[in-house]
Amino acid sequence: AVEIHLARDLERTGTAVLSEEVLTQAESVLSNMAEICQSRFMVPKENMIGFGTQVFRSAENGEQFLALISQKLGVRISVISQNQESAIGFATANALLPETVNKEDVICWDSGGASFQLSTASGKTLEGRLGSAIVCGMISKIKGIPVTESPNPVSENEVHQLDENIMNYMLENFAELENFWSKKWKCPNRRVVGISGKTCIFATCMHALNSKLNPDLQLRGKLTPNPHMSFEEVEKIRAILIGRKDEEFRELGFMQVQMIIPKLALLRAVMKFFNINTVEYVPSTGGCIGFLSLKLKTQIQ
């Protein structure tokens, strides 16, 4: 797998423009993916569809880049709105959860590098332009280092400052919630489901909770890891990880080691602000399944 840190690139440049370097990397990966789909899976390029999310909405050259790539590769890639992204996210959770789950109780939490969305079956959405890469930029500013440099080890004092910065953002953007959300968060049957891939904040926390660092590992079960994470567990495992170096994280099998503490800080902050006691993690390849299910539903109708 090839990782391209688009949101971190915006943080690094300090502008609203994606660099030529990262766009060249993105073009190479997209070209390779299109070639694989065509040669291995016999998918014609005219049937290939892709979509850009928050980082392409934020970047001044985001839509232009995707338009050029679409023309060059002969595929369809466009920028979608945050509401569309939320709908795809909820559809992904809906497709992956058991049919017995009451979808009206579900709140889907999709958290990426540049934003997060909380969405429901009714289409209501809470949107935050705050993702793991943005929070990583926050800790870099606190430490006074370039975003290209790892912030590890992160001290307790620096984590405290990071928590304050994230909470200030939450207060500025979500202090006054509409009546629907006020009731939704108080609903005793609510079920918060986190979706995304192997480097997301939920997968990172699950990896930590199922590592040898967790003193309560035996309670979770080594062979059948619990897909739920409580606020208490997030607090406890983050405290254990504070102050560790890149090498220590790598030895424990973590991915994107420079972003471990920022990811857990974002997870903790959103859970604390909305009083989320437990999150159920459902692994997904982005919103692919949700997008396909929505397309299929449209065709059937």
Side-chain angles (χ1 to χ4, degrees), residues 32-267:
N32 185 49
M33 290 174 66
E35 181 60 33
I36 290 173
C37 287
Q38 187 175 46
S39 61
R40 294 187 188 177
F41 303 105
M42 307 303 175
V43 179
K45 286 190 175 181
E46 59 267 24
N47 290 348
M48 298 180 196
I49 299 175
F51 47 87
T53 54
Q54 183 60 46
V55 69
F56 290 102
R57 291 193 291 265
S58 300
E60 292 178 2
N61 57 341
E63 289 194 46
Q64 179 187 24
F65 168 73
L66 293 183
L68 289 172
I69 287 298
S70 294
Q71 185 177 24
K72 190 172 183 178
L73 299 181
V75 300
R76 290 177 289 166
I77 309 176
S78 58
V79 178
I80 60 173
S81 70
Q82 203 158 34
N83 281 337
Q84 289 173 313
E85 185 177 358
S86 298
I88 291 171
F90 189 86
T92 298
N94 187 30
L96 293 172
L97 288 171
E99 293 184 3
T100 53
V101 173
N102 183 353
K103 302 307 187 295
E104 294 297 324
D105 295 334
V106 173
I107 297 175
C108 174
W109 180 0
D110 186 1
S111 189
S115 66
F116 71 82
Q117 296 83 35
L118 294 158
S119 52
T120 66
S122 65
K124 291 285 187 178
T125 302
L126 283 178
E127 307 161 346
R129 294 188 179 183
L130 196 65
S132 54
I134 308 301
V135 178
C136 200
M138 288 181 176
I139 194 65
S140 295
K141 290 178 182 178
I142 290 171
K143 293 180 74 76
I145 60 174
V147 294
T148 52
E149 185 178 322
S150 174
N152 297 320
V154 182
S155 70
E156 287 190 17
N157 183 54
E158 289 164 344
V159 169
H160 178 69
Q161 292 179 63
L162 180 61
D163 287 343
E164 287 189 343
N165 289 352
I166 300 174
M167 198 54 65
N168 286 337
Y169 173 89
M170 300 296 289
L171 288 168
E172 289 173 6
N173 289 273
F174 303 114
E176 296 183 9
L177 295 176
E178 61 177 288
N179 192 46
F180 170 85
W181 282 104
S182 296
K183 290 182 178 178
K184 192 71 175 179
W185 289 121
K186 295 176 183 177
C187 177
N189 297 324
R190 71 177 185 184
R191 185 171 182 168
V192 181
V193 178
I195 64 166
S196 209
K198 59 185 178 181
T199 61
C200 72
I201 61 175
F202 313 111
T204 298
C205 185
M206 287 300 301
H207 183 83
L209 290 173
N210 289 295
S211 73
K212 63 183 181 181
L213 291 177
N214 186 3
D216 300 325
L217 179 61
Q218 295 297 332
L219 298 178
R220 298 184 63 80
K222 289 185 178 180
L223 298 178
T224 55
N226 187 347
H228 298 78
M229 60 201 83
S230 68
F231 180 76
E232 182 182 356
E233 286 181 310
V234 174
E235 287 256 86
K236 182 181 290 187
I237 201 65
R238 188 182 73 153
I240 293 173
L241 296 179
I242 289 174
R244 295 184 182 271
K245 300 178 181 179
D246 287 358
E247 296 76 17
E248 294 178 87
F249 286 127
R250 290 193 184 98
E251 288 174 2
L252 292 164
F254 281 98
M255 303 176 68
Q256 298 183 348
V257 296
Q258 74 279 12
M259 301 177 74
I260 304 303
I261 297 301
K263 287 177 181 179
L264 293 179
L266 178 59
L267 175 63

Side-chain angles (χ1 to χ4, degrees), residues 264-278:
L264 293 179
L266 178 59
L267 175 63
R268 173 192 174 277
V270 177
M271 291 183 75
K272 182 177 181 180
F273 188 84
F274 293 117
N275 194 28
I276 300 173
N277 296 320
T278 304

